[in-house]
Amino acid sequence: MHECGLPLDKYTLNRLLNRNPTIVQFNDGTRFAVIDLEDFYHASMCYEPKTLAFILKRLADGGVFIDVGANIGGYTIRAAKTARVYALEPHPCNFHLLKLNVKLNQKQNN
């Protein structure tokens, strides 16, 4: 069991170790397209739980969130549940996954 509650089964782990694009769903309902374990780690948001909780608490009633260096959208997708988000990501591969993850979570209008 992954520390954030996502079961990382052998099939998914093998796909990520071999850099095969995979869609994972987390307990909070978010879905992410990931290519490797590093993407999985960034999508899980397990590495900054207090920062994520702080941001989501302040955006509970809406607002605007600017995500500079959005990576593949860990904060972007979660903040877009209640707020308007402007996500900036310069790395082409990460930007591609960010756009895909926005679509996967139906947050294009946020």
Side-chain angles (χ1 to χ4, degrees):
M1 179 69 72
H2 185 265
E3 62 197 47
C4 288
L6 176 73
L8 190 56
D9 57 50
K10 287 182 182 181
Y11 174 77
T12 304
L13 178 59
N14 189 43
R15 287 186 61 78
L16 296 176
L17 288 173
N18 289 302
R19 297 186 52 82
N20 293 317
T22 305
I23 295 176
V24 294
Q25 183 166 336
F26 293 92
N27 289 341
D28 63 2
T30 57
R31 298 174 63 206
F32 286 85
V34 295
I35 294 175
D36 55 27
L37 285 172
E38 184 177 1
D39 288 345
F40 177 86
Y41 179 69
H42 286 287
S44 75
M45 297 303 299
C46 287
Y47 61 99
E48 292 183 332
K50 290 181 181 179
T51 303
L52 179 61
F54 174 86
I55 290 168
L56 295 180
K57 183 177 179 181
R58 270 123 194 103
L59 295 174
D61 296 325
V64 175
F65 181 69
I66 301 171
D67 193 356
V68 178
N71 198 279
I72 65 169
Y75 285 109
T76 296
I77 300 304
R78 290 167 177 94
K81 289 181 179 182
T82 58
R84 179 109 177 126
V85 177
Y86 295 91
L88 308 166
E89 175 52 51
H91 190 279
C93 184
N94 288 345
F95 181 70
H96 173 75
L97 286 175
L98 173 63
K99 290 192 314 183
L100 182 56
N101 291 330
V102 167
K103 287 180 184 177
L104 274 173
N105 290 279
Q106 301 175 346
K107 300 299 178 193
Q108 300 93 313
N109 296 327
N110 295 58

